[in-house]
Amino acid sequence: MFSSRRPWSALLTGALTFALTGCPGEQPAKTGDTTGPGSGEASAALSTDEVKKLQEMASGMFGPVPAVAEAAGNELTPAKVDLGRMLYFETRLSKAQDISCNSCHDLAKFGVDGEKTSPGHEGQRGTRNSPTVYNAAFHSSQFWDGRAATVEEQATMPITNPVEMAMADDAAVETVLRSIPGYGAKFGEAFPGQEQPVTMANVGQAIGAFERGLTTQNAPFDRFLAGETAALSPAAQRGLKAFVDVGCIQCHMGPQLGGNLFQKLGLRKPWPNLGDDTGRAEVTDNAMEKYFFKVPGLRNVAQTAPYLHDGSVADLGEVSRMMAEYQLGQQLTDAQVADMVAFLESLTGELPAEYVQKPDLPESGPDTPAAQQD
Amino acid sequence: MADTHHNDELAADDHHPHVVSTTFLVGVFVALLVLTVVTVLASYLDLGGRSTNIFVAVLIATVKATLVALFFMHLRWDKPFNAIVLVGSLGMVGLFLGISTLDMLEAIPERDREFSAEGIKRARDRLGPRPGHETGAADDEAAKQLIQQAQMFGALPAAFESKKNPATPAKVELGRMLYYETRLSKSHQISCNTCHDLAKFGDDGQKTSPGHRGQLGTRNSPTVYNAAGQSMQFWDGRAADVEQQALGPILNPVEMAMGSEDDVLSVLRSIPGYAEKFKAAFPEAQDPITYHNIGQAIGAFERLLVTPAPFDRFVEGDASALTPQQQKGLQTFMQVGCTACHMGPLFGGNIMQKLGLRKPWPDTKDQGKFEETGNPGDKMMFKTSQLRNIAKTAPYYHDGSVETLDEAVRLMADYQLGTQLTDEQTADIVAFLESLTGEVPADLIKEPELPPSGPDTPKPDPN
């Protein structure tokens, strides 16, 4: 039934609306996909008020990096951390005695080696990019497919991986460490009360304990969160706003800006050149998790190129653009990309120079196996 | 007299004598009043569709205008040219209004044919961009595009198969029995089906479910339908698969409250009928009645609890499977960004996400995965719910704190995406979510006959 109280005026308004705006079929195909905030906007600095609001919002969303990543299952004693540091640099944990954790996760280079995929035993390449070890202990799982729950668990796995450090098995590792006279006492101090502390499990505990202190502090972004709004350049501020508004935070959230969930690569449209690596599905055998990878944390991301699980993208701007397009269905403008990169650069923190200094390692004993090249 | 004065004035302008009697003019005036009353009355009648109503209203108005022009404005006695100009321009206005009206009627869905600017805007928003004007072809094209986009969610499989736990008919049959087996609870009153009622889309409609002695847990019972396709189980993802999940509640003191795995096994061993069923389900095993195998059997059954829905027909290419509003809702669902978490054939269930992503969630009593891991990065991290059958599985969220789907949708957009949905968008998304309500496998879920207890079967312990 015709219910409008004033049919004539309503009809006229309706006709006028059509006359002014054109017929519905001729409406431009404008969708939410292309109306990313700031698209086409001039790159003006945010107003003081906007910056203040941004700062408040961001401090609720992200938060600073804690100094240490404490764990209930692994008490961080100085002895254990010291041992962990030694083992982190210990090349005798590899078959050819030329690779340590630090080879691929170089602490002087923000915890990575800058390679697409890292050369392992006899120069063999793995299939995945070495992620940074800094702040990694905060992640809720380790590896690109999350197959290890903690850094302790993660630490032992490359040692016996045939394309990485290539030790035959846990026993072989234990034999090497027990043959090096200096280690007995160190393990004893780190794991008091244990009859035989030199075990592969304890190798993981010690390295894990060391890695829990590998945090990067005082990034410009942290200073911004703490209230020093000038710590971010106007471009970085705009980038942060875009980061939130475009929707990057849907995955890159929390103090690490990621590292706490899995996500499908190619969420809005299929990722180009995915290859055979199905990510998490290889661990869980669940077809529904094909191409799911751990969302990396973005701390120090400007220093840890190349990007993605396969290291296939070298440029931070390019990877930002691709993420927006394939994961969020949004086309970033060049200006937005530049802003976003400026923001991501503000996530570069200070390396704990003293903490990561390479320690003296004990000398091999008479029974220490020789390096094997195969 | 007013009339005379009026006509004198006109007469001075038009050089025409005063030819109409006052009575005649009053008559015309009364006729105009009557026609006005008729217009108002007609607007309350349904004359067979809105277009007829409008037509009648316009017709009466035209008659009235003609009367005024002819008699009050003396057109009746004027030069013929003036009459032609008036009739011509009225005709043009009529043509313009008529064509616009037809266009609107074609473009606006029945329930939105309110002729206000707001109504038209809403209707146009709902229709979304259309490449052409031709109704049929253009809509098909738009729907085809949407179907293509929707295919990114992927097809719902017929079963969630597992290489680690391959389904056999015997295993599924045993699993179904155990699913309905109340003797797996201390009080012999609670089975899996009590909280995950297969006749009620796999949950019990409670905020949190009453367990042993009516104790309430802290989290809402999620649906068991399609749950096997999730990447993890429980709200905090602490079980990797349905096989592992199935074993949790049996021993949970506030749920089925069995004392230990051995207690459960001695119950099952005391029921004569089960030995044979376990043997058939696990033919390789020396001693098939194990706690692990209970999970395997229930899991194998649950892997078949799949509910294909109108949305799946839509993805397969049947555009009519979703109403226009549902299609609009699907578009909104994707545009607003719900897909960042609710993706895949289940629309979720495959990632953890922080509740209160854009602004802090008001209730932080339950911190989700953090409660399990103590890792600060896991605070407020919950499994993203799947959305299959979501319209049937209220109340919502990990604590069942939200009762309506409207409200749940609105809260999600606000707290997770920083978007305030309009009522219209909310209604569209809810309509779309209703298209995820599937068909439950009636034969598969029929309650089986359970073997009678044996002489040694422990008695129910209500305390």
Side-chain angles (χ1 to χ4, degrees):
Chain A
M1 197 176 123
F2 195 63
S3 59
S4 176
R5 283 171 299 276
R6 282 176 300 164
W8 263 110
S9 67
L11 189 62
L12 277 168
T13 318
L16 203 61
T17 309
F18 272 98
L20 292 175
T21 59
C23 301
E26 288 154 16
Q27 201 184 9
K30 187 175 151 200
T31 69
D33 287 6
T34 51
T35 51
S39 50
E41 276 172 23
S43 302
L46 301 178
S47 72
T48 318
D49 235 30
E50 285 174 314
V51 172
K52 197 168 171 306
K53 257 193 229 147
L54 187 65
Q55 191 270 335
E56 274 166 18
M57 179 177 66
S59 54
M61 254 175 212
F62 301 106
V65 182
V68 250
E70 309 249 8
N74 192 15
E75 199 196 336
L76 308 183
T77 61
K80 207 193 280 180
V81 169
D82 282 348
L83 173 62
R85 184 183 298 110
M86 292 166 80
L87 295 173
Y88 191 89
F89 284 97
E90 182 55 84
T91 54
R92 285 168 293 186
L93 291 179
S94 67
K95 190 175 178 185
Q97 300 193 354
D98 58 355
I99 301 174
S100 71
C101 304
N102 195 60
S103 306
C104 304
H105 305 281
D106 191 337
L107 296 177
K109 291 182 183 169
F110 283 88
V112 296
D113 58 2
E115 301 280 330
K116 212 170 145 170
T117 60
S118 302
H121 185 62
E122 304 216 292
Q124 295 173 88
R125 299 269 165 173
T127 55
R128 294 194 184 140
N129 178 261
S130 299
T132 179
V133 73
Y134 282 107
N135 309 306
F138 295 109
H139 293 181
S140 54
S141 64
Q142 305 296 325
F143 292 114
W144 282 101
D145 54 18
R147 66 185 184 277
T150 61
V151 279
E152 285 78 9
E153 203 184 316
Q154 187 280 329
T156 59
M157 292 166 83
I159 300 176
T160 49
N161 186 323
V163 302
E164 300 186 42
M165 294 161 83
M167 295 297 280
D169 51 27
D170 289 2
V173 177
E174 287 162 1
T175 306
V176 169
L177 290 173
R178 285 171 196 168
S179 75
I180 300 172
Y183 273 124
K186 292 283 178 191
F187 273 87
E189 285 166 38
F191 302 97
Q194 292 186 14
E195 206 161 308
Q196 176 49 278
V198 187
T199 62
M200 190 63 154
N202 282 346
V203 169
Q205 291 295 105
I207 297 177
F210 169 62
E211 291 183 345
R212 288 181 179 279
L214 292 175
T215 65
T216 57
Q217 305 290 316
N218 204 28
F221 180 59
D222 294 317
R223 299 204 302 276
F224 177 82
L225 293 181
E228 184 193 331
T229 49
L232 292 196
S233 68
Q237 291 174 357
R238 285 195 306 267
L240 167 58
K241 189 163 185 308
F243 189 82
V244 172
D245 290 342
V246 168
C248 310
I249 58 147
Q250 284 160 22
C251 295
H252 296 283
M253 73 192 75
Q256 305 307 320
L257 297 95
N260 49 0
L261 57 91
F262 297 97
Q263 182 58 281
K264 183 179 175 182
L265 193 60
L267 185 58
R268 288 301 291 259
K269 61 183 200 185
W271 194 265
N273 311 317
L274 258 181
D276 302 331
D277 192 345
T278 59
R280 180 101 181 124
E282 293 181 7
V283 182
T284 62
D285 186 32
N286 182 345
M288 318 277 276
E289 285 177 285
K290 266 192 169 178
Y291 308 120
F292 277 62
F293 292 91
K294 188 176 73 176
V295 173
L298 297 183
R299 291 277 176 183
N300 307 307
V301 70
Q303 304 292 329
T304 60
Y307 302 106
L308 303 178
H309 67 283
D310 54 2
S312 58
V313 181
D315 180 67
L316 188 54
E318 178 61 13
V319 78
S320 307
R321 197 194 306 275
M322 288 180 79
M323 279 285 129
E325 181 181 349
Y326 289 91
Q327 301 301 104
L328 297 164
Q330 305 220 28
Q331 301 288 336
L332 297 186
T333 63
D334 290 350
Q336 278 180 313
V337 171
D339 289 349
M340 202 82 96
V341 169
F343 163 62
L344 293 173
E345 280 167 353
S346 82
L347 297 174
T348 302
E350 289 168 7
L351 297 184
E354 218 171 291
Y355 185 80
V356 301
Q357 227 146 52
K358 185 178 173 179
D360 282 333
L361 300 180
E363 280 170 32
S364 296
D367 299 333
T368 306
Q372 284 175 271
Q373 298 298 339
D374 274 337
Chain B
M1 213 183 148
D3 258 350
T4 316
H5 172 72
H6 177 67
N7 287 313
D8 283 350
E9 208 175 270
L10 283 171
D13 286 344
D14 295 341
H15 314 289
H16 277 282
H18 183 199
V19 292
V20 191
S21 75
T22 306
T23 326
F24 184 80
L25 285 176
V26 170
V28 171
F29 177 69
V30 171
L32 287 173
L33 282 180
V34 169
L35 284 171
T36 305
V37 171
V38 170
T39 307
V40 172
L41 289 179
S43 78
Y44 288 98
L45 293 174
D46 190 345
L47 303 174
R50 275 162 203 161
S51 41
T52 320
N53 277 68
I54 293 167
F55 180 75
V56 168
V58 172
L59 192 72
I60 297 171
T62 311
V63 171
K64 285 164 68 185
T66 311
L67 288 177
V68 171
L70 284 178
F71 302 110
F72 290 163
M73 294 164 77
H74 290 206
L75 199 64
R76 166 77 181 74
W77 304 275
D78 215 331
K79 289 180 207 142
F81 179 73
N82 286 358
I84 289 166
V85 167
L86 183 76
V87 172
S89 42
L90 279 178
M92 288 305 288
V93 170
L95 205 63
F96 176 68
L97 287 179
I99 290 171
S100 299
T101 308
L102 286 179
D103 196 31
M104 278 195 292
L105 290 171
E106 172 238 305
I108 301 170
E110 188 68 15
R111 80 170 182 75
D112 233 332
R113 287 181 191 164
E114 299 164 35
F115 293 118
S116 64
E118 183 55 34
I120 288 161
K121 189 178 164 298
R122 261 189 289 143
R124 293 183 48 178
D125 286 348
R126 166 173 307 134
L127 286 165
R130 289 195 305 154
H133 214 206
E134 311 78 6
T135 45
D139 284 344
D140 285 355
E141 196 49 49
K144 223 184 285 170
Q145 264 179 28
L146 189 60
I147 288 171
Q148 248 170 30
Q149 285 177 317
Q151 279 162 354
M152 77 168 184
F153 291 101
L156 185 70
F160 300 104
E161 286 169 24
S162 160
K163 283 181 215 136
K164 282 181 268 176
N165 186 24
T168 61
K171 207 194 279 180
V172 171
E173 193 195 330
L174 173 63
R176 177 173 38 222
M177 293 168 78
L178 295 173
Y179 191 89
Y180 283 98
E181 183 55 85
T182 53
R183 286 168 293 185
L184 292 178
S185 69
K186 196 176 172 190
S187 64
H188 290 200
Q189 287 172 358
I190 304 173
S191 71
C192 304
N193 194 60
T194 308
C195 304
H196 306 280
D197 191 337
L198 294 175
K200 291 184 184 169
F201 285 92
D203 76 5
D204 58 0
Q206 304 282 321
K207 209 170 149 173
T208 59
S209 303
H212 187 64
R213 290 166 47 202
Q215 298 173 88
L216 294 176
T218 55
R219 294 197 181 136
N220 178 260
S221 300
T223 178
V224 74
Y225 281 108
N226 311 295
Q230 302 182 108
S231 309
M232 62 199 109
Q233 306 296 327
F234 292 114
W235 281 100
D236 54 13
R238 66 185 186 276
D241 49 36
V242 279
E243 284 79 8
Q244 199 185 335
Q245 187 282 329
L247 298 173
I250 300 175
L251 300 180
N252 188 324
V254 302
E255 300 186 41
M256 296 160 85
M258 292 298 282
S260 67
E261 294 182 10
D262 284 340
D263 288 354
V264 178
L265 297 180
S266 53
V267 169
L268 289 175
R269 287 183 185 131
S270 75
I271 300 173
Y274 272 124
E276 186 194 323
K277 295 284 179 190
F278 271 87
K279 188 72 209 166
F282 303 97
E284 320 272 277
Q286 193 93 52
D287 175 17
I289 302 187
T290 63
Y291 200 63
H292 174 76
N293 282 348
I294 296 172
Q296 297 296 107
I298 296 178
F301 169 62
E302 290 183 345
R303 285 180 180 280
L304 300 179
L305 296 174
V306 182
T307 62
F311 176 77
D312 301 298
R313 293 205 311 277
F314 183 74
V315 168
E316 283 160 16
D318 176 5
S320 70
L322 261 59
T323 65
Q325 190 189 12
Q326 288 176 327
Q327 295 185 20
K328 186 70 201 337
L330 169 58
Q331 268 177 345
T332 310
F333 186 85
M334 295 192 290
Q335 283 165 8
V336 168
C338 310
T339 41
C341 297
H342 296 284
M343 96 298 275
L346 305 186
F347 293 76
N350 47 7
I351 61 170
M352 305 287 294
Q353 182 57 280
K354 183 180 170 186
L355 188 60
L357 187 57
R358 289 295 296 258
K359 59 184 197 186
W361 192 255
D363 185 348
T364 55
K365 249 191 318 247
D366 185 347
Q367 298 261 0
K369 193 176 178 191
F370 175 75
E371 312 275 346
E372 201 65 17
T373 65
N375 181 346
D378 291 338
K379 277 190 183 167
M380 293 310 284
M381 294 292 284
F382 290 92
K383 185 180 68 181
T384 301
S385 310
Q386 56 150 326
L387 299 182
R388 289 273 171 184
N389 304 306
I390 192 75
K392 300 291 186 186
T393 57
Y396 303 105
Y397 294 105
H398 62 282
D399 52 3
S401 58
V402 178
E403 278 171 28
T404 69
L405 193 50
D406 281 47
E407 182 62 9
V409 167
R410 210 188 309 273
L411 284 169
M412 277 285 112
D414 187 8
Y415 284 87
Q416 301 302 105
L417 298 166
T419 302
Q420 304 289 332
L421 294 182
T422 62
D423 290 352
E424 190 74 20
Q425 286 177 311
T426 308
D428 290 346
I429 291 179
V430 168
F432 160 63
L433 292 175
E434 279 161 3
S435 80
L436 297 176
T437 301
E439 280 167 43
V440 300
D443 283 340
L444 179 70
I445 63 168
K446 271 206 197 109
E447 184 166 358
E449 268 191 60
L450 300 178
S453 296
D456 300 333
T457 305
K459 296 282 167 275
D461 177 359
N463 300 304

